[in-house]
Amino acid sequence: VIVRFADLLEEARRGGTVVGAFTCYDAESAAGVLRAARGRPVVMLISAQMVSGPDGDLLVAALRGLAEQARSMVCLQLDHAHDLDTVRAGCEMGLGAVMADGSHLSPDANLEFVLGARAIAAPLGVAVEAQLGRLEGLEEIAVAADSGELTNPEDARVFVRETGIDCLGVAIGNVHGIYRGRPHLDLPRLREMSAGVPVPLCLHGGSGLPADCVGAAVAAGIGKVNFNTDLRQAYLTRTAQELARAPVGAALLALHHAQMDAVAQTAAEKLAALTSLAALPR
Ligand SMILES: [Zn+2]
């Protein structure tokens, strides 16, 4: 069932867990994520490239249809939109949240961009996540990355107050894709932000982080963790294995079932880790 972004985060908080968010590129990955959810609230992340790419409206409608049928509480979120046209398109496609990522802009331009996104989204009841600090690495292609410029806690406090956003993505040593070397998260910085900011904080780049890192971030105040790379890798690894067999009888459905299994297993591992880690005392 599809619910509002705020209700999803609140439901997770009440249940003593944090929200796992997973990028869904097709019906197979979405079905895998929904199977893994098993009653736990999840966010289905929709790539900005999908929204603005060929037949984006049809693909998003298909994923929304899957979410409507799910037993778990689900919210669909446009991920990493860098322009207002994409934000508007995501809102018109019926997504429950958009991430307006202006972290590549100057601070003033980021503020202006997020205010513009909010002016589009808020009247439609669509929640807005923004990003402060720089996340290195690429969202769609896994490459090794070092951590970028970290989020300043005082900037975060002022930014959230001035924009009225619903969720803030932070840079505390996390990267997209593959971590170069052992990840190091700046937990004192995160704790300071968590104390000063009244909205949930989001950790992007959950894939490459060891479970103890994610657990420490959750204990220090993270409310939502985004996963993408690990799901894509599991999907593609399994696809490569099955492709050797699939041409016999052109067994396409068997291939799709294997892809769903691979995504479901990976997402279930992430959700189980979030649930057990969030249950630890803070
Ligand atoms: Zn991200």
Side-chain angles (χ1 to χ4, degrees):
V1 55
I2 291 181
V3 300
R4 290 174 64 242
F5 186 73
D7 294 342
L8 190 85
L9 286 154
E10 176 58 21
E11 168 73 12
R13 201 189 57 79
R14 265 206 308 266
T17 184
V18 296
V19 170
F22 302 93
T23 313
C24 297
Y25 290 96
D26 52 18
E28 287 68 36
S29 46
V33 166
L34 294 174
R35 191 197 300 168
R38 305 201 331 147
R40 285 170 295 211
V42 288
V43 169
M44 280 168 53
L45 296 171
I46 310 289
S47 154
Q49 277 97 319
M50 177 190 271
V51 163
S52 54
D55 295 320
D57 52 343
L58 298 181
L59 298 174
V60 171
L63 298 180
R64 226 180 58 219
L66 291 166
E68 279 165 3
Q69 293 301 314
R71 279 181 288 277
S72 304
M73 291 170 79
V74 186
C75 184
L76 273 70
Q77 180 181 20
L78 169 63
D79 205 17
H80 292 291
H82 295 296
D83 61 82
L84 293 179
D85 285 343
T86 310
V87 168
R88 191 173 290 109
C91 291
E92 286 169 355
M93 289 176 194
L95 302 181
V98 295
M99 183 201 185
D101 182 0
S103 58
H104 55 296
L105 304 170
S106 69
D108 285 349
N110 189 6
L111 182 77
E112 192 184 341
F113 172 55
V114 171
L115 286 173
R118 221 180 148 253
I120 295 167
L124 298 169
V126 177
V128 176
E129 175 180 333
Q131 170 74 36
L132 275 190
R134 232 177 41 250
L135 283 178
E136 298 295 328
L138 300 173
E139 179 66 31
E140 302 293 346
I141 314 267
V143 295
D146 291 312
S147 115
E149 190 188 317
L150 306 186
T151 314
N152 176 292
E154 176 58 16
D155 290 350
R157 200 179 61 74
V158 173
F159 188 85
V160 169
R161 196 185 60 211
E162 291 186 349
T163 55
I165 52 169
D166 305 276
C167 182
L168 180 69
V170 294
I172 52 169
N174 47 317
V175 306
H176 281 137
I178 297 160
Y179 287 76
R180 211 194 308 269
R182 179 168 165 84
H184 172 74
L185 299 184
D186 189 336
L187 297 173
R189 181 183 296 266
L190 174 59
R191 274 190 286 271
E192 191 182 340
M193 273 189 286
S194 168
V197 170
V199 299
L201 301 177
C202 178
L203 184 68
H204 288 247
S207 281
L209 291 175
D212 60 327
C213 270
V214 176
V218 167
I222 286 291
K224 167 172 165 272
V225 185
N226 286 15
F227 299 97
N228 182 350
T229 308
D230 280 352
L231 268 64
R232 295 208 311 274
Q233 283 175 338
Y235 185 122
L236 288 172
T237 302
R238 194 66 189 277
T239 299
Q241 289 163 354
E242 295 294 321
L243 270 180
R245 255 183 293 209
V248 180
L252 186 60
L253 188 58
L255 175 66
H256 285 329
H257 285 163
Q259 290 163 335
M260 287 157 63
D261 288 346
V263 172
Q265 193 182 339
T266 307
E269 285 165 13
K270 304 296 182 194
L271 285 168
L274 287 183
T275 306
S276 65
L277 293 164
L280 295 173
R282 323 221 155 159

